[in-house]
Amino acid sequence: MERWNERVERFVFSTSRLAPEPPAADITPDAAFPSYFISDMMPFAPADWALKVGGLVARPGALSLDALKKMPRTDMRVRHHCVEGWSAVAAWHGVRLSDLAKFVGASSDARYVEFRSFDSGYYSSWDIESATHPQTILAYGMNGRMLYPDHGAPLRLYSAVKLGYKQVKYLTEVNFLPNRTGGYWENQGYEWYGGV
């Protein structure tokens, strides 16, 4: 069934179709927007945190948060959909993954992107089309302020095109790959594609 689901989800997916932006009045209060991590305690970024970018790229390396903030900023307000049945609205800001892909010179042979975290090894992998969708960003801000640790500081993946468990928080690595890998929940039976 999962293969059939993925075929249908890929068929209805469009790299140019944007999720509607709810009005600002719909923003979920911070205290009511659930936060989640798999570590026993809330993860905090190491003092020397940097985002490692690798795989099939011309310019692999590590980017500090300041370096990411110097890249073009994208702001969006979208509804978050959780596989558990709840949804919430937040305004996010950060760097489009498509801009990062251009910056590092991602190869056209990279058909997948893997996102790794310092939250007890949490990770997920995405198809390149969803990863480079205009509404997929590496978010360092939420609701007009810098991201707090309970929502994935200093950097998290956020997109309008995937379910919540695909939105990796506490990012440490972005790898552009030729082959599909799994994910923390995907390896436990959750759908790999996880589209909305």
Side-chain angles (χ1 to χ4, degrees):
M1 259 334 263
E2 182 175 346
R3 282 192 210 137
W4 185 86
N5 282 347
E6 184 174 335
R7 281 196 299 271
V8 170
E9 288 176 85
R10 283 181 183 266
F11 177 75
V12 299
F13 175 81
S14 169
T15 56
S16 59
R17 185 173 49 245
L18 302 180
E21 186 166 298
D26 286 0
I27 288 178
T28 304
D30 287 351
F33 197 119
S35 62
Y36 178 82
F37 44 86
I38 62 167
S39 298
D40 292 336
M41 298 176 62
M42 186 183 309
F44 289 90
D48 62 346
W49 179 90
L51 180 69
K52 180 183 170 192
V53 184
L56 300 177
V57 298
R59 295 171 293 281
L63 297 166
S64 68
L65 190 56
D66 285 340
L68 289 163
K69 287 182 185 178
K70 289 177 183 169
M71 296 178 71
R73 176 175 152 165
T74 296
D75 291 72
M76 64 182 187
R77 189 170 48 248
V78 293
R79 185 169 301 279
H80 178 98
H81 296 278
C82 180
V83 72
E84 295 172 346
W86 59 267
S87 66
V89 175
W92 304 94
H93 62 270
V95 178
R96 277 192 177 120
L97 191 77
S98 58
D99 288 340
L100 179 69
K102 289 175 194 160
F103 182 78
V104 298
S107 167
S108 60
D109 292 333
R111 303 307 310 146
Y112 300 93
V113 185
E114 182 182 77
F115 303 94
R116 294 209 164 257
S117 165
F118 60 84
D119 180 13
S120 293
Y122 194 96
Y123 78 106
S124 186
S125 56
W126 291 29
D127 58 292
I128 193 74
E129 295 82 10
S130 297
T132 55
H133 185 274
Q135 288 178 308
T136 299
I137 66 171
L138 302 179
Y140 50 77
M142 176 183 180
N143 294 337
R145 56 165 169 70
M146 293 305 291
L147 203 56
Y148 290 158
D150 60 333
H151 286 289
L155 191 71
R156 69 170 291 165
L157 178 62
Y158 201 82
S159 180
V161 301
K162 294 289 187 190
L163 289 167
Y165 66 91
K166 300 292 285 183
Q167 322 275 351
V168 178
K169 297 188 248 184
Y170 312 106
L171 279 174
T172 56
E173 291 183 40
V174 175
N175 295 302
F176 293 84
L177 303 172
N179 300 310
R180 171 170 153 165
T181 61
Y184 178 84
W185 286 114
E186 296 89 331
N187 292 349
Q188 298 179 58
Y190 281 51
E191 183 181 274
W192 180 84
Y193 192 78
V196 174

